[in-house]
Amino acid sequence: MKRLLLHIGIILIPVLIIADARASIGYAVEAINMCVYMIVPTLFPFFVCSGLLIYSGFCERMAKLFRFCMMPLFRVSPVGSSAFVLGIISGYPLGAATAGELFQNGYLTKTEAQRLLAFCNNSGPLFILGSVGIAMYSKIHYGVILYVIHILSAITVGIIMSFYRRNDYTAPKTVMTSPERSPGEIFSIALQNAISTMLTVCGAVIFFSIISRLVLALLPLNNGLMSLAAGICEFVTGTSMIASLDINIAKKLIMTAFVIGFAGFSVHLQVMAVISRYRLSIAPYLIGKLLHGIIAAVYTMLYLHFFPITETVFAPAGVSRQALLSKSFSISSAYEITAVLAVALLGLILAFAAKKKNASQSL
């Protein structure tokens, strides 16, 4: 039955595309522009940095810093902290890609990797502070609220998912060592993996953007439900549509928190494409993202109950939403450059310290 439904869906997809070819081409062009101007510039440097950190042995050092909380709270080996930290710094789907690489390199057991997937793949500040706070609501304060709630919700999901197969074997507490590689070899491996992952992500975004928008166009939904449905399918489009609704700001923020937490099926498809090579179950991840969306909405509701916002938020007159989004990413690019430089500088410092320590030991 599953295979039959799959075949029916595969047949219906080209039928939908051919039935409205002009709209399909337009959606494809928009998705390609999103990849070229937004996804690749904001994610590719972090994909490379993630690989450099993993294959240079940085994860073992980070594990020492987070040993006090990763295993007691999340039932995940401390090395998994690198996936969580990179996930909340850079955004979807780097957390999932990092968790998969940690599992592939033997740092995590399969159960630990699946637990980690449920809460490490999160939206980064580049989108929440820049696109949502600055561009969509013209109030970075709202972006800060949503980002803090987003992280707290991810931590809550991680604690809940620690009970997933709780009695299963977990990796020993001993720190694993990375094989000795030259800087050139490390960079080559990280670059190849980043390019492969980036192509996978962009392909998933383009394909799902076309299909989801064609399907949504056929549904008789009002503006509110259409915006929420769009967010469930593709969270960037959905958050933009929610921000433009003619409803009070509290409802907008609650809906936005849910959509960003859930991430949308477009991101889930990216994650499925990225982790398929590792043969990890997608079910814990999907459960975790649904919980994340619900918990984020509840936390936002509680926050607004105690700290109500009564002002109405409008986009600046005479400025298109596309221009606002472009402006937000220009402003947020300073964050990206700073983050990448900080990671690179930290890596160089640690590499120099390790080299100095080895030299002193040899003497």
Side-chain angles (χ1 to χ4, degrees), residues 135 318-329:
V319 183
S320 67
R321 187 164 299 281
Q322 184 175 1
L324 282 172
L325 285 171
S326 176
K327 179 182 177 182
S328 73
F329 281 105

Side-chain angles (χ1 to χ4, degrees), residues 8 72 78 124 229 241 273:
I8 292 173
M241 292 175 65

Side-chain angles (χ1 to χ4, degrees), residues 101-176:
E101 289 197 26
L102 290 173
F103 169 67
Q104 185 183 44
N105 285 275
Y107 288 97
L108 302 172
T109 65
K110 189 172 185 177
T111 298
E112 284 180 316
Q114 290 171 172
R115 287 186 195 132
L116 185 60
L117 278 174
F119 70 96
C120 75
N121 196 49
N122 301 300
S123 182
L126 190 63
F127 174 74
I128 299 179
L129 300 180
S131 296
V132 178
I134 297 174
M136 298 181 189
Y137 292 109
S138 301
K139 292 281 185 179
I140 195 171
H141 173 65
Y142 298 157
V144 172
I145 293 171
L146 290 171
Y147 185 59
V148 172
I149 288 174
H150 188 72
I151 296 174
L152 292 177
S153 302
I155 293 172
T156 305
V157 171
I159 294 172
I160 293 172
M161 292 303 294
S162 68
F163 295 94
Y164 170 74
R165 295 186 177 179
R166 192 171 181 84
N167 296 323
D168 276 14
Y169 167 80
T170 54
K173 295 182 179 180
T174 54
V175 177
M176 300 184 68

Side-chain angles (χ1 to χ4, degrees), residues 188-199:
S188 176
I189 295 172
L191 186 62
Q192 290 175 21
N193 289 347
I195 293 172
S196 175
T197 303
M198 198 74 258
L199 289 174

Side-chain angles (χ1 to χ4, degrees), residues 300-342:
T300 306
M301 193 182 305
L302 291 174
Y303 175 85
L304 295 175
H305 175 74
F306 292 104
F307 305 96
I309 298 173
T310 56
E311 62 183 303
T312 304
V313 180
F314 296 100
V319 183
S320 67
R321 187 164 299 281
Q322 184 175 1
L324 282 172
L325 285 171
S326 176
K327 179 182 177 182
S328 73
F329 281 105
S330 297
I331 295 171
S332 300
S333 62
Y335 162 80
E336 179 189 348
I337 294 171
T338 303
V340 172
L341 290 176

Side-chain angles (χ1 to χ4, degrees), residues 3 18 126 146 222 347:
R3 190 169 293 274
I18 295 171
L126 190 63
L146 290 171
N222 60 36

Side-chain angles (χ1 to χ4, degrees), residues 23-338:
S24 300
I25 293 172
Y27 297 151
V29 171
E30 290 181 18
I32 291 171
N33 287 334
M34 184 188 298
C35 290
V36 172
Y37 295 107
M38 186 173 73
I39 295 176
V40 173
T42 57
L43 284 183
F44 183 73
F46 287 107
F47 279 133
V48 176
C49 287
S50 172
L52 292 175
L53 293 178
I54 291 173
Y55 293 104
S56 64
F58 178 78
C59 294
E60 294 94 326
R61 297 180 181 275
M62 186 174 284
K64 294 179 181 178
L65 298 176
F66 290 90
R67 188 178 298 277
F68 72 96
C69 67
M70 290 300 293
M71 185 59 72
L73 285 180
F74 310 124
R75 296 290 292 169
V76 172
S77 174
V79 294
S81 59
S82 58
F84 181 69
V85 171
L86 288 170
I88 62 176
I89 288 176
S90 58
Y92 301 120
L94 185 58
T98 305
E101 289 197 26
L102 290 173
F103 169 67
Q104 185 183 44
N105 285 275
Y107 288 97
L108 302 172
T109 65
K110 189 172 185 177
T111 298
E112 284 180 316
Q114 290 171 172
R115 287 186 195 132
L116 185 60
L117 278 174
F119 70 96
C120 75
N121 196 49
N122 301 300
S123 182
L126 190 63
F127 174 74
I128 299 179
L129 300 180
S131 296
V132 178
I134 297 174
M136 298 181 189
Y137 292 109
S138 301
K139 292 281 185 179
I140 195 171
H141 173 65
Y142 298 157
V144 172
I145 293 171
L146 290 171
Y147 185 59
V148 172
I149 288 174
H150 188 72
I151 296 174
L152 292 177
S153 302
I155 293 172
T156 305
V157 171
I159 294 172
I160 293 172
M161 292 303 294
S162 68
F163 295 94
Y164 170 74
R165 295 186 177 179
R166 192 171 181 84
N167 296 323
D168 276 14
Y169 167 80
T170 54
K173 295 182 179 180
T174 54
V175 177
M176 300 184 68
T177 56
S178 299
E180 291 293 330
R181 294 187 176 99
S182 66
E185 187 180 2
I186 292 172
F187 180 75
S188 176
I189 295 172
L191 186 62
Q192 290 175 21
N193 289 347
I195 293 172
S196 175
T197 303
M198 198 74 258
L199 289 174
T200 301
V201 168
C202 289
V205 167
I206 295 168
F207 178 79
F208 202 84
S209 294
I210 298 170
I211 304 307
S212 62
R213 295 180 69 175
L214 287 173
V215 172
L216 287 176
L218 301 175
L219 301 178
L221 302 175
N222 60 36
N223 289 339
L225 291 177
M226 179 63 76
S227 300
L228 190 59
I232 291 173
C233 290
E234 207 285 307
F235 81 108
V236 177
T237 303
T239 50
S240 178
M241 292 175 65
I242 290 169
S244 64
L245 291 175
D246 187 19
I247 58 177
N248 67 62
I249 186 62
K251 291 180 180 179
K252 287 184 181 182
L253 292 179
I254 292 170
M255 292 172 66
T256 300
F258 172 80
V259 167
I260 296 175
F262 180 67
F265 287 111
S266 177
V267 169
H268 302 337
L269 190 64
Q270 297 170 35
V271 171
M272 290 171 65
V274 167
I275 70 170
S276 61
R277 73 188 76 165
Y278 309 121
R279 300 192 178 279
L280 297 172
S281 173
I282 196 68
Y285 165 78
L286 293 176
I287 293 171
K289 294 315 296 178
L290 180 59
L291 286 173
H292 193 161
I294 294 171
I295 292 170
V298 172
Y299 282 176
T300 306
M301 193 182 305
L302 291 174
Y303 175 85
L304 295 175
H305 175 74
F306 292 104
F307 305 96
I309 298 173
T310 56
E311 62 183 303
T312 304
V313 180
F314 296 100
V319 183
S320 67
R321 187 164 299 281
Q322 184 175 1
L324 282 172
L325 285 171
S326 176
K327 179 182 177 182
S328 73
F329 281 105
S330 297
I331 295 171
S332 300
S333 62
Y335 162 80
E336 179 189 348
I337 294 171
T338 303

